[in-house]
């Protein structure tokens, strides 16, 4: 079996995806995104069925290029939850040598969260920092606002410097505040969904969009 | 380290979840769900940040009880995509002896989809049927309408009989039609999100809600 580089591995699957994108383009109405940003927004809509992401999605001006560059140098992805790694196409990541890391289920992380009275997500980010993964990585947050807030703290302290932050935590306690804090950062670049909406499937969609852009760059002669 | 049965393994994580549920109850307004249905709907809102699921979520009258019963007898979960298994709490599933199965990435499934010109999701459901897993299982569809349509076909032919169908595929080509087909079925019971919205995170949330209900039943003297 030959290696196929799209995550839609059958012809029927690819046809459904193409038809879906056409429906989204037709129904989504006007938008203010650039030609490189829209494919990512379209994929968020595709993964959720929610046209609100045309508007809720915000980009640092250098974010898409930073994401493409990070993929092309094989930067690691640090994810807050395991669903992100499970949703990403291994074949497409492998083309660029990109590996996915997540530490939320590590016994040490769980024990530290209990001992210090914070969340597993916070401790997972500290573990990623200790392993040197927060330098140059794509940080992918789909669930835990506390993970995002912790990395922003580490960045302020000069102890983390991701290439790109994908900040799409979901929830009702602090996600909007965490994303507001992200949206004012000049460096590193970021992509986020404002307000409460977010989730792991959206983060996976965003990364697949960046992979597609990196692939099309690579395919050029 | 003792085994904790909630997926929010730290005290801080549990506090955030409780506060989030309080916000959702306060802001969601009136609803037409029963006392056993609302915890599941609330979890869908919690996992997406989208209050539309108060309204979009529909239940067969026997669905919640069928789900609790299936969990309590340790029925297998057959999922259309790997993200569902990655998002579910292993410790909570293990309490009831529930295992998660998915076949979308099996080489035979991919090869069969190519050869027959249909989707991997269709072939994955056929593989589950061949292994006897579609009898008594909780069928969990978060991505592929074609998986749902294939199982409905197998049910009509008398070759599949899940205990419960969670039908929350997302997309723009056939998910609404697939869910319409599910919504008219009398047996087996089903839970679905009408229209285009859906996704793996929602399916995970629905199953965690059923696990919580099964746990509270079990905890009663």
């Amino acid at each position: 079996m030959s290696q196929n580089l799209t995550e839609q591995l059958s012809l029927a699957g690819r046809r459904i995806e193409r038809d879906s994108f056409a429906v989204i383009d037709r129904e989504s109405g006007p938008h203010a995104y650039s030609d490189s940003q829209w494919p990512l927004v379209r994929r968020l809509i595709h993964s959720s069925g929610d046209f609100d992401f045309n508007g809720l999605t915000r980009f640092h001006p250098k974010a898409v290029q930073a994401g493409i560059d990070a993929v092309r140098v094989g930067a690691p992805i640090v994810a807050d939850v395991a669903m992100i790694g499970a949703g990403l196409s291994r074949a497409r990541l492998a083309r660029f040598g990109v590996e996915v890391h997540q530490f939320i289920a590590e016994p040490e992380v769980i024990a530290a969260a209990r001992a210090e009275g914070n969340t597993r997500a916070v401790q997972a980010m500290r573990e990623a920092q200790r392993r040197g993964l927060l330098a140059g990585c794509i940080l992918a947050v789909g669930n835990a606002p506390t993970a995002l807030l912790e990395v922003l703290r580490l960045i302020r302290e000069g102890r983390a410097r991701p290439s790109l932050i994908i900040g799409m935590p979901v929830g009702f306690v602090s996600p909007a505040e965490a994303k507001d804090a992200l949206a004012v950062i000049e460096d590193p670049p970021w992509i986020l969904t404002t307000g409460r909406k977010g989730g792991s499937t959206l983060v996976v969609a965003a990364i697949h969009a960046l992979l597609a852009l990196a692939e099309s760059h690579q395919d050029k002669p």
Side-chain angles (χ1 to χ4, degrees), chain A:
Chain A
M1 194 187 71
S2 69
Q3 187 91 316
N4 190 310
L5 291 165
T6 74
E7 82 273 33
Q8 292 293 342
L9 291 174
S10 72
L11 188 65
R14 285 198 299 275
R15 199 163 48 226
I16 291 171
E17 184 174 279
R18 199 188 54 219
D19 292 350
S20 301
F21 286 166
V23 173
I24 295 170
D25 282 343
R26 202 163 55 233
E27 295 188 21
S28 57
H31 65 76
Y33 297 103
S34 73
D35 287 351
S36 68
Q37 291 168 344
W38 177 246
L40 192 147
V41 176
R42 185 170 56 185
R43 235 175 214 294
L44 299 189
I45 297 169
H46 179 254
S47 73
S48 62
D50 189 346
F51 281 99
D52 283 1
F53 290 108
N54 175 12
L56 287 182
T57 314
R58 289 186 54 198
F59 295 84
H60 181 289
K62 295 181 182 167
V64 173
Q65 193 58 52
I68 294 170
D69 292 347
V71 165
R72 295 189 68 182
V73 300
I77 294 169
V78 174
D80 65 335
V81 287
M83 284 186 82
I84 293 173
L88 288 168
S89 162
R90 295 287 148 176
R92 296 179 70 184
L93 295 175
R95 176 166 175 184
F96 297 101
V98 173
E99 292 186 354
V100 186
H101 303 267
Q102 57 89 17
F103 304 104
I104 193 120
E106 301 283 318
E108 300 79 10
V109 162
I110 297 169
R114 284 195 178 135
E116 299 183 24
N118 48 32
T119 69
R120 294 198 288 156
V122 166
Q123 297 294 339
M125 293 299 122
R126 292 183 189 168
E127 181 64 23
Q129 193 274 335
R130 281 191 292 271
R131 299 193 190 199
L133 290 165
L134 294 187
C137 73
I138 296 176
L139 179 73
V141 177
N143 192 273
T146 55
L148 185 52
L149 290 167
E150 179 64 10
V151 174
L152 295 180
R153 188 183 72 79
L154 292 167
I155 290 170
R156 281 195 303 275
E157 292 182 0
R159 297 162 66 201
R161 207 292 178 192
S163 295
L164 174 70
I165 297 178
I166 300 176
M168 304 184 179
V170 61
F172 294 87
V173 169
S174 56
E177 294 83 342
K179 293 184 229 179
D180 287 348
L182 178 61
V184 296
I185 284 183
E186 284 188 24
D187 187 51
W190 43 261
I191 304 169
L192 59 81
T193 52
T194 45
R196 288 162 166 177
K197 287 184 178 178
S200 309
T201 47
L202 294 161
V203 172
V204 168
I207 295 173
H208 280 153
L210 293 174
L211 285 167
L213 289 166
E215 287 158 7
S216 69
H217 279 231
Q218 204 175 48
D219 291 340
K220 280 179 192 159

